[in-house]
Structure formats: structure tokens, C-alpha cells
Amino acid sequence: MNQEHDLQKRMLIFFVVVAVLMIGYSIFSSYFFGEPKQESQNVQVKQETTTPQKTVSDEGQKTTPQETQKSQPAVNYSSTGSFNLLMDSRRLNSDNFQNIVTVDTEFGQVKFSKVGGRVISIYVDKYKTDIISDFARKNRIFPTEIITTNPEITALVNFSLYQFRKEGNKLIFTLEKNGVKVVKEFILDGSVFSFRLSTQGLEKYGIAIINGVSLSEVESAFGHSGAVIKTDKQLIKIDKDIEREQVIRGNILWAGEENKYFMQMLATKEGFTATHVVPVAQEITVVFSETVPSVEGFFFGGPKLYSLLESLTEKYKKEWNKDLALQDTVDFGIFGILGKPLFIVLHFFYNYTHNWGVAIILLTVLIRIIFFPLNHKSLKAMKKMADLAPEIKKLQKKYKDDPQKLQQEMMKLYAEHGANPMSGCLPIIVQIPVFIALYNVLMVTVELKNAPFILWITDLSSKDPYYILPILMGLSMVAQQWITPSSDKNQRMIMYIMSAIFTFMFMNFPSGLVLYWLTNNILGLIQSYFINRTMGRYNKKS
């Protein structure tokens, strides 16, 4: 469907082919040529992170809302023209941004315009990003606007100059004009603005509030970018490349726009009866929700910090008795059941080390400890396979004209000595989900955006600019081949070639992921060394 899908499909095919070839070759050679397995070559499979798609047709136009909870009943989509966003000269000429109110927040600055009482800028200092896109500013369309079923009233309430006053941390914008009264109150409450809207004279019109406008695209194709709507049953994500308006009806808790790192959203205590996702330009959508004339809720525009979204969810669960599930907008992919715990543990280590790179190293150590019994048993079995190599060669020579008898004798030999020709496969298989889950954590969590490690590594979510970590990782894979028990020169050469291929592939992977694999390889080297030493491999050479 898009660049992300194509890239991930190509990567998935490559790693699946590599995994099948490596594991298949190891199994085949072990049974028929007595070649021991290479535990150290853990093949990584990169898999698509997007959730299953549901395709909805509307007069031949295909759209792809993405639902994160497949078990829930479908939401009906339809088209309507009742509301008009007035994307014309009236809007373009509505505001010269001269009447501005600026508020400092824990993330940066938020700016309101007295024209329409609208949020026109949400600048986040740490990420040097404005959550309000250039498109929104150029076209003068912003979150918290009021849209009605009467175009003249819509122009009146959004393009008129409001009276402004400040009471403590409360910002109050008031409009009284032509028999219409609108009062917007924004109250800074930590990372969000409590939002209250009261109106008079709009009772006979349909009323909606803009929840969000498409955010600027981030530098990576990964992660969802588009509308996001939370009902009482499911979280719905709609891509921004739709060509027709989509309307979601039901008990809607909140709605907004997101990219993989940031989000705009508006929630009300009463909820919404319908949410509209309207394409207004190429890959640009506006989300607005139908509501009653007076509402109470909150507006959030900022980074999708998992702990922050989780705390907001808990706060409003107590106050409103509703589960907003804001943290579910952080999509950990197909292995989310692993991704979430990995990130929580990673965050725990970060709280003590204040360095995400060190936290990744500690997480790798923990994962290695968890898999220690499996890896230890596998390495010992491989050592036994290497020790049996001379006996296997004798059997091959003795039964070279009788493959069936050779197979029987080899299996008997394995059973007598407790050797397992498939000993290297299981560690490969069990680490694939962990690898994919950690890859998704690094790619979609804003906490790791611009997160430095040491010296030249200034962003663990981006590739190593000097390719030092991938080269070190490749060398560690070569070292693993040297230290891992093996008696077949051809297989060892294949693994050396694979080390070079993986080094090349990892050059464009997030440096945090390469750091994880490098640390894992080093720990594997240490473990292999001690196993070889305790089983007398080095004594035999001396």
C-alpha cells in the first residue's frame, strides 16, 4: 500500500530466505554429512509491523482503516457533506497571526490565536518539532475549531477576533456577535490543556470540533501516519492517503491525527457521536467530531511518550470512568506482546542510567540471562557434535554406498552420546521474535528519537553515521564462527560470507539495534569460551 509496506516486505523476504537457507542447510548437512550446527548465526527476520487491514469500498474507492483489535465488530463507514471546512479564500485571509497568546509548557511553547480562539503552534523543544504542520498554518486550519452545518456561522465563529482574558492558568476566549456567543477555555494541566466549550445561538445547527490536522511527515517511512479514532470497542487508524471522506459512527471517546512520534487529539467527557476524516489535499486529512453545543474535555498535542500516555489514561479513567487507552497509539507491531515488556524494562533501566544506550546493553544482558539455559544447552550439544566428527566420517566412509544404513548408524551415534544435530536451530528461532520486537521498539518510540549513546552515536533510532557499530558487529560474528565448534570448512566459509552480508544489511539499521546485536554476540563469545574451556576443547589443542 505504501513505501513502508514495500520496504518491509522486501526485508521480510530477504531474512526469511536467509533463515530458511541457513537452518535448512544445517539440518541437511548434519543428517547426511555429519556437520555440526552454528549456534552463533542467529538469523534476524524483519517483519511488517502494521496491523491487519480491513478494506472498505465506497463507490469503487478503496480505503484501508487499520484496526488494532480484530475481535471487535466492524465500524460502519459512510460519506456525508453536511459539514463544510471552508477551504477557500475566507480561510486563507482569516488570520495574519498578529493577535497571539503564548504559553510555556513542560515540552516547549503553545501559541493561540485570538482569531477563532485556535491552537496555531505546539513547539516541542527537545525534538525541535512543531506539532502543528506547515500545511495547517499556510491554510489557516487548526485543532479546536468549531465546524457547523451552516457555512456562514462556521466562518463567523472561526474567523472573527475573540476577546481574551487570563485567570491564573486559565485562558478564556469569548466571542459575542450576530446573536451567537462562544466561550472557549483552555486550562494548562501538566502536558494537556483542559478544554471547555460553551455556546449560545448554535442549538439549531449541527456542531463539530476539529480534533486534528495531518502532522508533518517524519524522516522514516515506518509507523502509522494519519487519523486515529478511539471508540469504546476499538482503536481505528486510517491512512492519510484516502480520497473520500470517511465517517465513523458510534460511541467515540476521542479522535485526532498522528505520525509515529507525535499526536494531536481531542477528547470530551460526553464523547462524540460521529467522527469525520476528510481529505483536503494530497495525503492531508482533517479530523473533526460531531458534538453537543457545550462540552468539557481536554486537548493534547505532543510526543507519544508511552509513560505519559499511560498516566493520562489512568488519570481520566478515574475522573471519567472511561478507558481512553492512549498508550495503544504506540504500535509495537506484530510482536507487541514482547515489544511492550521490552520497552517497559528498557525504560526501567533508563530511569537509573539516564542513557538509552546503556539501557539497551543492560536489556541485552537480561535477555541473555533469560535464554542462558537454552544457549548453554545448545552450545554443549554443538561441542558434542564437533567431538563426534571423526566418528561420523568413519561411518560415512564405511556406509558410503548405503545412505539408509548411514542415516540409521548416525542417529544411533547421536543417541548414544546425547548429541542433537538440530541444536543450533532453536536459539535462532526463539530470538527472531525478540529481534523484531526490539526493532519495532526502536523505530516507533519517540523516547529513543535523538537519544545519544556515546561519542558519535547521537541518535539510537538512526543508523550509525560512520558504520563503526555494524563493522564491530560483523567482526564479532566472525569471531563467533572461529570460537564455535565446527569441523566443516565449507559450512564455516558460508557463515563467514553471511557475516559480511549481515554487516552490510545492519549498516542501515538503527544503531540501537546494532548495539543490541553486538552486545549479544560479545556475550555469546564469552559463553562459548567458557563452555569450550570446561569441556576441554582448548586442552586438547595444547
Side-chain angles (χ1 to χ4, degrees):
M1 182 186 65
N2 54 32
Q3 179 184 357
E4 173 191 353
H5 292 168
D6 293 339
L7 176 61
Q8 292 191 355
K9 284 178 181 177
R10 289 195 296 267
M11 294 295 292
L12 173 62
I13 291 171
F14 171 80
F15 281 105
V16 167
V17 170
V18 171
V20 170
L21 289 176
M22 291 182 65
I23 296 175
Y25 174 78
S26 296
I27 296 173
F28 178 82
S29 59
S30 294
Y31 276 99
F32 295 97
F33 303 103
E35 299 173 353
K37 301 295 179 296
Q38 294 293 326
E39 182 273 342
S40 59
Q41 292 304 307
N42 296 316
V43 180
Q44 300 87 27
V45 178
K46 178 183 172 188
Q47 190 160 335
E48 289 191 351
T49 62
T50 53
T51 52
Q53 297 180 351
K54 175 184 176 183
T55 301
V56 182
S57 297
D58 183 6
E59 300 179 4
Q61 172 62 35
K62 189 174 290 185
T63 58
T64 55
Q66 299 175 342
E67 302 181 4
T68 61
Q69 299 180 18
K70 295 183 294 183
S71 61
Q72 299 296 343
V75 175
N76 293 325
Y77 293 80
S78 63
S79 295
T80 178
S82 300
F83 294 92
N84 190 336
L85 291 171
L86 304 182
M87 301 294 291
D88 54 27
S89 59
R90 286 176 292 179
R91 178 175 291 282
L92 292 175
N93 299 322
S94 66
D95 197 346
N96 58 9
F97 300 140
Q98 296 300 309
N99 296 283
I100 304 299
V101 177
T102 302
V103 179
D104 292 328
T105 70
E106 60 184 70
F107 293 124
Q109 279 190 339
V110 176
K111 293 182 179 180
F112 299 83
S113 175
K114 294 179 184 178
V115 176
R118 304 175 290 183
V119 180
I120 63 169
S121 177
I122 308 170
Y123 190 78
V124 184
D125 290 333
K126 181 178 180 181
Y127 305 109
K128 297 179 175 59
T129 298
D130 199 326
I131 310 301
I132 304 297
S133 67
D134 290 338
F135 175 89
R137 281 190 293 274
K138 289 178 181 178
N139 292 274
R140 308 308 198 257
I141 184 165
F142 303 105
T144 69
E145 281 190 20
I146 300 170
I147 308 298
T148 74
T149 51
N150 184 318
E152 298 304 318
I153 297 297
T154 298
L156 175 70
V157 298
N158 290 307
F159 309 149
S160 299
L161 185 64
Y162 281 56
Q163 296 296 315
F164 170 74
R165 73 180 190 274
K166 185 177 181 181
E167 297 179 358
N169 63 344
K170 182 185 296 185
L171 310 178
I172 304 173
F173 298 87
T174 304
L175 174 70
E176 291 188 71
K177 191 174 182 179
N178 298 346
V180 172
K181 182 177 181 180
V182 177
V183 180
K184 292 182 179 181
E185 297 182 6
F186 296 89
I187 305 171
L188 181 59
D189 182 13
S191 57
V192 302
F193 280 92
S194 295
F195 176 72
R196 293 176 183 171
L197 170 68
S198 59
T199 67
Q200 295 176 17
L202 303 182
E203 293 78 11
K204 61 181 179 180
Y205 307 113
I207 298 177
I209 305 176
I210 292 183
N211 306 81
V213 182
S214 285
L215 282 65
S216 299
E217 190 57 82
V218 294
E219 65 277 7
S220 170
F222 295 96
H224 176 254
S225 184
V228 56
I229 301 101
K230 178 68 174 73
T231 73
D232 58 342
K233 294 182 172 62
Q234 59 191 321
L235 181 69
I236 303 168
K237 297 189 176 187
I238 301 179
D239 291 335
K240 61 183 181 179
D241 59 354
I242 61 172
E243 297 184 9
R244 294 184 182 273
E245 177 180 353
Q246 301 296 315
V247 182
I248 297 88
R249 302 188 183 278
N251 183 10
I252 298 167
L253 305 182
W254 59 265
E257 291 272 359
E258 68 170 358
N259 59 28
K260 74 171 181 175
Y261 287 140
F262 305 102
M263 179 168 61
Q264 300 170 13
M265 56 80 61
L266 179 69
T268 64
K269 189 174 183 179
E270 300 82 3
F272 305 113
T273 56
T275 292
H276 301 241
V277 183
V278 182
V280 294
Q282 184 176 3
E283 296 196 347
I284 300 289
T285 56
V286 175
V287 175
F288 61 88
S289 298
E290 298 179 30
T291 186
V292 293
S294 297
V295 296
E296 178 181 347
F298 73 91
F299 173 76
F300 171 75
K304 295 196 295 185
L305 298 165
Y306 189 87
S307 57
L308 169 61
L309 299 180
E310 194 172 42
S311 66
L312 287 174
T313 297
E314 292 302 315
K315 170 183 169 65
Y316 288 97
K317 186 181 293 184
K318 294 177 182 177
E319 294 183 8
W320 293 357
N321 195 30
K322 292 181 178 180
D323 184 7
L324 303 182
L326 293 168
Q327 68 273 19
D328 288 349
T329 59
V330 182
D331 186 4
F332 290 104
I334 191 170
F335 289 110
I337 193 172
L338 291 175
K340 286 184 180 180
L342 283 176
F343 177 73
I344 291 171
V345 174
L346 191 65
H347 202 287
F348 172 80
F349 287 138
Y350 172 78
N351 288 337
Y352 287 94
T353 63
H354 303 291
N355 185 300
W356 286 106
V358 176
I360 290 173
I361 292 173
L362 293 176
L363 176 65
T364 310
V365 173
L366 177 61
I367 293 173
R368 193 77 194 188
I369 291 173
I370 293 173
F371 288 141
F372 178 82
L374 178 63
N375 289 324
H376 189 76
K377 184 177 181 180
S378 175
L379 287 171
K380 290 182 68 175
M382 290 165 64
K383 178 63 170 61
K384 290 181 180 179
M385 289 292 297
D387 292 341
L388 289 176
E391 297 297 325
I392 293 173
K393 288 181 179 179
K394 291 180 182 178
L395 291 175
Q396 290 173 334
K397 185 175 181 180
K398 182 177 181 181
Y399 299 106
K400 62 181 179 179
D401 297 326
D402 191 349
Q404 185 175 1
K405 182 64 174 178
L406 172 62
Q407 179 67 14
Q408 292 175 352
E409 291 298 321
M410 287 174 60
M411 294 301 295
K412 182 179 178 181
L413 182 66
Y414 294 153
E416 290 176 352
H417 292 83
N420 182 3
M422 296 183 64
S423 57
C425 298
L426 191 56
I428 294 174
I429 295 172
V430 297
Q431 292 216 44
I432 288 174
V434 175
F435 179 88
I436 297 173
L438 185 59
Y439 177 85
N440 289 329
V441 166
L442 292 169
M443 291 303 295
V444 303
T445 53
V446 69
E447 286 87 344
L448 286 155
K449 177 178 171 61
N450 298 336
F453 175 38
I454 56 172
L455 301 175
W456 73 99
I457 303 295
T458 58
D459 185 355
L460 286 164
S461 67
S462 298
K463 67 179 183 180
D464 183 337
Y466 302 110
Y467 306 113
I468 296 174
L469 284 181
I471 292 172
L472 291 175
M473 188 212 69
L475 292 175
S476 70
M477 294 177 71
V478 171
Q480 278 192 321
Q481 297 310 311
W482 178 80
I483 199 173
T484 301
S486 177
S487 61
D488 185 86
K489 292 182 179 180
N490 292 330
Q491 184 183 18
R492 191 177 285 274
M493 181 57 66
I494 290 175
M495 295 307 176
Y496 286 146
I497 294 173
M498 289 307 304
S499 297
I501 293 174
F502 273 76
T503 300
F504 176 77
M505 294 300 300
F506 269 66
M507 283 183 173
N508 291 314
F509 277 12
S511 54
L513 192 68
V514 183
L515 177 62
Y516 161 77
W517 207 248
L518 171 61
T519 306
N520 185 66
N521 286 349
I522 292 173
L523 294 174
L525 280 168
I526 296 172
Q527 187 176 2
S528 295
Y529 172 80
F530 281 105
I531 288 177
N532 288 335
R533 185 173 181 178
T534 55
M535 296 186 71
R537 182 185 180 194
Y538 302 125
N539 293 336
K540 290 181 180 180
K541 287 184 177 182
S542 57

